[in-house]
Amino acid sequence: MTALTDLLATTADRFPDRIAVADGQSELTYAELAAAAWHTAAQLRVADPGAGPVLLALPPGIAWVTALLGAWHAGSPAVPLDVTHPITRLRQIASGCRATTILTSDGNAPAWGDGLTALAPATGPAPSGTVVPDGCADEERAACIWHTSGSTGTPKPVQVPHRAVAARAAVLPAWSGLTHSDRIAQLTALTFDAVLWEVLGALTTGARLQIAAPADRVPGPALPRFLAAHRITAFTGTPTYLAAAPFAELPHLRRIVLGGEALHPGPLAQWIARYDVANAYGPTETCVDAIVHEHVHPDEDPVPIGRPLPGVHAWILDELQQPVPAGQTGELYLGGQGLATGYLNQPEETAHAFPRLGLPGSDGEERVYRTGDRVRQLPDGQYVFLGRADGQLNLGGVRLEPTEVERAATKVPGVRAAVLLTDQGASGRDRLVLHVEADDTGLPARLREQLASRLPPSAIPALIIARPSLPRTSSGKIDLRALTDTGPGPVAPDVRLPGPVLPQDVAGWWQEQTGTPAAEVDDFFAAGGDSLGALLMLQRINGAHGTEITLDRFYADPTTRFLTTVLSPGRTS
């Protein structure tokens, strides 16, 4: 198999003068990008000759791409970060990876990294006489370490080797239909492995990677304008993400790849009828995409996730890890070259998730990944996703272990027990609901603020319900069925009180995303809002009022009182 760095070098040799990457501020040709990546690799080798993990603490932009490629050429595992996440979580990731080097926009180490050597990614070729590394020859060495929600209450580091990324890169152009003529949008959050679809889709074909500005990444009216202005021909996202964007006739757009969660065609009927839409499936542990339905038809419901890509092995097994009869439902197990090495410094979790099994079609025992997803196979060979086999949640393509949120909640004084579930808010989208056992009915507001300081925004519950006691079964376990059947239960008294009067436009956006007038319910999430709705509302407020309200700050105090304070003359947040 061709090495990952060789695949990228081949494209640069074929298209040296074509634009490889642009971010609205500047652009680099393939030759310039290759030179900048090698220069960054040389800097990393000097800073850390042992090629340890490198933290990518950069916003979306050309520098992030240069940093990623530079880490790969240096043989250093890249650890993408979201620097807007709470400082406690970033410290956990940095210390857990035992990284010694960090790439930042200004070359200065942030406060959450102790003992880190900070560098700024190069933007040009190395000076004459610089010794440039020859890339990573060890295909089992980690190319990336992605952090997903962990069942132990801490982020779970998934080690994806060069072998896996190269295997996906080698087959991506064939199934996606991407060529050097394409202009691919970079919209995915940099901490999700789907960003590799965008980067590799461009850099293995000679296409242009167009990086969206923060305001253009939000799935509101700005997204179609961005796609049109830059003549984007292909992009990827989750079904929830696309459903939140207004439909638009885009003459250059031809390819949309959706994934990360179940695809329900109803809300996306116009997009599916107008454009060539693919439905892709692949947990982080199998590197981006493992099973793909290349062309979704408008009349398909449910929409299959498709067939395994070349080099991917798939089995549907029962509770005893034996194959189920044809057409029956079971748990999906995946094998082949795209598997992650495992979880960094977590041998027990790795052994459980990646067992070695003797399965039909394999030569002896094969190392596989147990996805935890229930599927069945159709007569034509395609797979249909039927939900989770365990308690893991999925909101908008973000996998979430309920335990992580529950453990964080029970660390707050006054919380005796916590259970995280999902329901549908006024928008019809799934949202997180945290049920806690506590005597203090005013706890939800304080608890949300505490969680916002410890967890990423995607893990903050939309609604927190405090009860003196949670229903339990005869064995003493929390009765989940009774909990959901009894309805929302008591809510903190002040949540239902009207707050200050919002500006008319903001009040309209509040009601649009919650289904409830702001004058009736002061808490955005108690009113029926969810995380995506909050993002859309804040994007509009910031654009119209010149504010800088961040999502994590709003999560800590999602009230009309907070918004009116920020919107007072001379105030920003």
Side-chain angles (χ1 to χ4, degrees), residues 298-317:
D299 57 350
E300 290 180 313
D301 193 6
V303 178
I305 57 175
R307 298 179 178 84
L309 291 172
V312 174
H313 308 154
W315 298 269
I316 304 176
L317 306 182

Side-chain angles (χ1 to χ4, degrees), residues 194 236-241 256-263 277-282 288-289 291 305 394 396-398:
T236 187
T238 66
T240 297
Y241 179 88
I256 303 173
V257 176
L258 300 177
E261 61 180 339
L263 172 54
V277 176
N279 189 26
Y281 168 90
V288 194
D289 302 317
I291 298 175
I305 57 175
N394 186 324
V398 179

Side-chain angles (χ1 to χ4, degrees), residues 39-92:
H39 188 183
T40 301
Q43 293 176 301
L44 290 173
R45 279 290 182 87
V46 172
D48 181 11
V54 175
L55 305 176
L56 306 189
L58 295 155
I62 289 177
W64 188 89
V65 179
T66 301
L68 177 68
L69 302 187
W72 286 351
H73 286 306
S76 298
V79 186
L81 301 173
D82 186 335
V83 294
T84 67
H85 281 181
I87 191 170
T88 52
R89 185 178 181 86
L90 295 174
R91 284 172 176 161
Q92 280 182 320

Side-chain angles (χ1 to χ4, degrees), residues 74-271:
S76 298
V79 186
L81 301 173
D82 186 335
V83 294
T84 67
H85 281 181
I87 191 170
T88 52
R89 185 178 181 86
L90 295 174
R91 284 172 176 161
Q92 280 182 320
I93 292 174
S95 63
C97 291
R98 300 172 186 169
T100 59
T101 311
I102 183 169
L103 290 168
T104 63
S105 55
D106 58 4
N108 293 315
W112 47 265
D114 295 328
L116 290 171
T117 299
L119 300 170
T123 56
S128 177
T130 300
V131 177
V132 178
D134 58 1
C136 179
D138 183 2
E139 65 177 15
E140 291 301 321
R141 188 166 182 80
C144 296
I145 300 175
W146 305 99
H147 284 79
T148 63
S149 179
S151 59
T152 61
T154 58
K156 187 164 58 177
V158 183
Q159 297 187 93
V160 178
H162 279 253
R163 158 187 50 76
V165 182
R168 293 293 177 263
V171 302
L172 193 156
W175 74 258
S176 66
L178 297 175
T179 72
H180 67 274
S181 301
D182 279 298
R183 301 168 72 96
I184 302 170
Q186 198 289 293
L187 300 168
T188 302
L190 304 182
T191 51
F192 297 117
D193 67 328
V195 70
L196 293 183
W197 186 94
E198 300 163 335
V199 173
L200 298 175
L203 303 188
T204 60
T205 62
R208 176 190 182 108
L209 183 67
Q210 185 69 46
I211 302 171
D216 295 329
R217 308 172 86 84
V218 179
L223 178 60
R225 291 197 295 267
F226 165 80
L227 299 175
H230 293 281
R231 305 192 303 281
I232 297 299
T233 62
F235 71 89
T236 187
T238 66
T240 297
Y241 179 88
L242 186 59
F247 174 77
E249 288 285 351
L250 301 166
H252 297 94
L253 182 63
R254 62 178 186 82
R255 189 61 154 154
I256 303 173
V257 176
L258 300 177
E261 61 180 339
L263 172 54
H264 302 294
L268 304 172
Q270 285 183 290
W271 294 97

Side-chain angles (χ1 to χ4, degrees), residues 403-480:
T403 308
E404 181 170 6
V405 180
E406 292 164 356
R407 290 194 181 200
T410 54
K411 291 180 180 179
V412 176
V415 177
R416 295 188 294 272
V419 177
L420 187 70
L421 301 173
T422 61
D423 73 0
Q424 285 195 333
S427 65
R429 297 186 291 261
D430 286 341
R431 63 176 184 170
L432 296 177
V433 179
L434 181 67
H435 299 262
V436 297
E437 186 172 281
D439 295 324
D440 182 3
T441 56
L443 178 71
R446 290 191 294 104
L447 178 55
R448 181 179 285 116
E449 186 171 0
Q450 290 289 318
L451 294 178
S453 69
R454 302 177 184 181
L455 300 171
S458 59
I460 308 301
L463 184 62
I464 299 176
I465 300 168
R467 305 168 182 268
S469 62
L470 296 177
R472 283 176 164 76
T473 64
S474 57
S475 62
K477 296 181 179 180
I478 294 175
D479 190 336
L480 299 182

